[in-house]
Amino acid sequence: MKMIEGHAVIDVPDNVPVWDIDPYNPEILANPLNYYAELRAKGPFAYIPKYGILACGRHKENKEVFSDWERFVSSRGVGLQDFKLGKPWRDPSIVLEVDPPEHGRTRKILMRLMSPKVMRTLADDFQLAADRLIDELLEKGTFEAVTELAEVYPTTVFPDAMGLRACDKRRLIDYGAMVFNALGPDNDLRRKAMATAPDIVPWITEQCLRENLKPNGFGAAIYAAVDEGEITEEEAGMLARSLLSAGVDTTVTGLGSALWCLATNPDQFELLKSDMQLLRPAFEEVLRYTSPVHSFCRTADIDTEVSSIKIKQGTKILCVLGAANMDEDQWPGATKFDISRKPVGHMAMGAGVHGCVGQNLARAEVQAIFTAIANKVDTIKLAGEAVWRPNNAVHALDSLPITFTRK
Ligand code: OVV
C-alpha cells in the first residue's frame, strides 16, 4: 500500500479531475480566494496527486461529507494522517477525533458548559472587559489589531471563564496554532509549529489538571462530571485539553478577521452602528466571509458515493470550508461582505454532530467586542497593509494596523 503523510494513497476515481496543486503552499494559505474558486470549478471533487487525497470546494459536497459521520468518520483523524494506520503526535481528542456513540458522551458534557444559560452568566464580565479594551485602544488611536486587540481579548476572558490559575497568553495562542498546523502535511509550517511543542505541551497538560483549575470555571465543571461518574479523571483532563486546543487561537482569529471586515467595508460598519440587531448576523457573515478554520479532513470508512463520484474506503477528503463559504451557488454575490445576508448554513463552524461545541462562547466574545465598538467607535480604518499568516488549517491575520476614531 502506498502511503503519503500517513494515509493510504487512493487511485483517481472515475470522472474526477487531477489537479496538480499544493493546497498547503503558504502563498495559497495566505491568500486562498483564487484557489477556492478554481477548486469549485473543478467539480464536486478534485484529486490532488501531491497528497493522494480528494478535495471538495463546493457547498453541497462539503455539507454532505461533513454531516455524515457514519460514512465520513472523524476517528481516523481530521487532518491528513489516518489514525487507523499510525499513531498521531498526541493522544486523539476524545471529542473531536471520535465517532458516535462515544462522541455523544463527551460532547454532552461540553455542550452543558457552553449552554446559552452559562453564557448569560458570563455576559457582564465579557462586556466589562470589552469596554475597557476598546477604551484603551481609543486612547491609542492607531494600534496593531492582531497583537493589541484580537490576541488580548480572548486571552483575557477565556482563561477566567475556564478557571485557569496560570495564564500564559503566548503559550495558549501558540498551542492552538500548533494543533491546527498539525492537521496538515509535514511542511515547514508544521515543523516550525511542532518545534515549540516541548515547551508548550507539558505546560498545557499541567493546566488541565484538577488542582490547576479554579472553582466555578469550565474546568471545574468538567471535573464535576468525574464526581458524578460520567467520565474518568483522565478524560476530564482530555476535555480540558480540547477547550485549550480549540478555544483560543480560533477566537483570536475570528476577532482579527471581524476587525478586518469592518475596516475594509466602512458602509457595513455604518449599517451595524445604525441597527444593533445586525450584530449577530454581522458575525455570521464574518465567519462565512473569512472562514477562520479553512479546511478539515474526513476519512471515508466504507466504499461510497457522493454526487455520483465513487469514493473508496480509506480516502482522505479535504473539506475546504473556506471554498464552500464562497460558493456563488449557495451565496449569491459571495465575494461581497454583506451583514444583512444572514448566511444560515455557512460551514465555518462545521456541520452535523461535530459542529463547533464552543460556538456560543465565540459568539459571546464577539458580541461583547462588537457592542463596545458600535457604542464607542465612529470610524475604523486600515492604517497599513493587512497581512495574512499561513497555517495548515486556520486562515488568520498576521498583522492588521488599525485606526479608531472616537464617537
Ligand atoms: C483543533 C481542534 C479543534 C476542535 C477540537 C479539538 C482540537 C480538540 O482537541 O478536541
Side-chain angles (χ1 to χ4, degrees):
M1 182 169 61
K2 191 179 171 220
M3 305 256 296
I4 299 180
E5 299 295 344
H7 68 266
V9 173
I10 50 143
D11 296 329
V12 186
D14 288 344
N15 303 315
V16 171
V18 174
W19 189 19
D20 194 9
I21 189 177
D22 181 359
Y24 297 101
N25 174 326
E27 280 161 39
I28 289 178
L29 292 170
N31 294 298
L33 287 183
N34 291 338
Y35 151 70
Y36 289 168
E38 261 187 86
L39 175 58
R40 287 190 305 269
K42 296 281 174 194
F45 294 94
Y47 181 87
I48 313 277
K50 184 168 170 69
Y51 300 112
I53 58 172
L54 296 182
C56 58
R58 296 179 180 181
H59 188 271
K60 180 176 180 292
E61 288 77 24
N62 268 293
K63 182 100 188 178
E64 180 167 340
V65 171
F66 242 62
S67 305
D68 192 337
W69 56 266
E70 285 185 281
R71 291 188 296 157
F72 303 107
V73 298
S74 291
S75 54
R76 294 170 73 165
V78 299
L80 285 180
Q81 190 189 2
D82 185 347
F83 292 3
K84 208 169 176 173
L85 304 177
K87 209 169 133 55
W89 71 279
R90 57 173 202 169
D91 287 341
S93 160
I94 64 171
V95 61
L96 173 73
E97 291 152 338
V98 288
D99 305 317
E102 294 80 16
H103 170 256
R105 186 174 65 93
T106 48
R107 171 150 179 131
K108 193 174 71 189
I109 292 163
L110 297 184
M111 288 287 277
R112 203 156 65 211
L113 305 187
M114 302 288 166
S115 71
K117 196 173 148 202
V118 175
M119 293 306 128
R120 279 194 292 276
T121 67
L122 297 172
D124 287 349
D125 286 348
F126 278 26
Q127 196 58 57
L128 211 63
D131 287 342
R132 197 173 297 149
L133 176 59
I134 299 303
D135 283 340
E136 269 173 41
L137 295 173
L138 275 164
E139 278 306 308
K140 289 185 180 158
T142 297
F143 57 95
E144 170 47 59
V146 172
T147 51
E148 295 183 278
L149 192 164
E151 292 189 348
V152 171
Y153 188 69
T155 55
T156 307
V157 297
F158 179 85
D160 272 353
M162 183 77 193
L164 294 184
R165 289 194 198 278
C167 172
D168 184 327
K169 172 175 171 257
R170 197 70 260 152
R171 282 184 173 127
L172 284 170
I173 294 169
D174 289 352
Y175 185 59
M178 179 194 309
V179 172
F180 280 100
N181 266 318
L183 299 176
D186 183 24
N187 57 9
D188 270 2
L189 289 168
R190 191 180 194 277
R191 280 193 290 269
K192 279 209 182 86
M194 292 313 252
T196 63
D199 170 59
I200 296 176
V201 173
W203 184 85
I204 290 285
T205 307
E206 201 179 316
Q207 307 321 309
C208 293
L209 298 173
R210 189 194 283 259
E211 62 266 28
N212 291 326
L213 293 157
K214 295 185 223 167
N216 300 327
F218 299 139
I222 293 173
Y223 279 95
V226 178
D227 305 333
E228 295 298 316
E230 284 183 279
I231 49 171
T232 67
E233 186 87 7
E234 199 189 342
E235 286 174 328
M238 289 294 284
L239 286 181
R241 191 194 73 172
S242 283
L243 297 191
L244 299 191
S245 302
V248 181
D249 190 45
T250 47
T251 46
V252 166
T253 300
L255 270 179
S257 295
L259 257 285
W260 175 75
C261 287
L262 296 181
T264 52
N265 296 275
D267 61 319
Q268 297 297 302
F269 180 43
E270 287 305 314
L271 190 59
L272 176 65
K273 281 187 293 178
S274 70
D275 181 1
M276 294 288 269
Q277 297 290 326
L278 287 172
L279 214 135
R280 179 150 171 177
F283 180 49
E284 298 309 315
E285 179 67 349
V286 168
L287 289 175
R288 181 197 71 81
Y289 194 68
T290 65
S291 298
V293 175
H294 60 73
S295 24
F296 255 22
C297 293
R298 291 291 189 258
T299 314
D301 207 40
I302 51 163
D303 290 349
T304 183
E305 201 175 299
V306 174
S307 299
S308 304
I309 301 297
K310 292 210 163 34
I311 297 174
K312 283 271 178 226
Q313 189 280 125
T315 303
K316 275 284 177 188
I317 303 177
L318 183 68
C319 294
V320 185
L321 307 173
N325 282 341
M326 282 286 178
D327 188 343
E328 284 283 338
D329 289 342
Q330 183 71 19
W331 324 103
T335 53
K336 165 134 185 54
F337 175 73
D338 172 6
I339 66 170
S340 45
R341 179 193 302 274
K342 306 200 166 85
V344 178
H346 71 67
M347 299 288 299
M349 301 258 199
V353 298
H354 283 282
C356 176
V357 73
Q359 56 186 281
N360 290 332
L361 182 64
R363 291 202 179 96
E365 290 185 25
V366 175
Q367 161 117 12
I369 288 286
F370 271 10
T371 301
I373 288 177
N375 284 335
K376 296 167 185 282
V377 178
D378 186 36
T379 63
I380 306 175
K381 286 203 176 74
L382 280 186
E385 198 195 347
V387 179
W388 297 85
R389 176 191 304 169
N391 176 297
N392 288 329
V394 176
H395 183 232
L397 283 154
D398 192 47
S399 91
L400 180 69
I402 287 280
T403 303
F404 276 173
T405 59
R406 207 180 281 277
K407 246 187 173 173

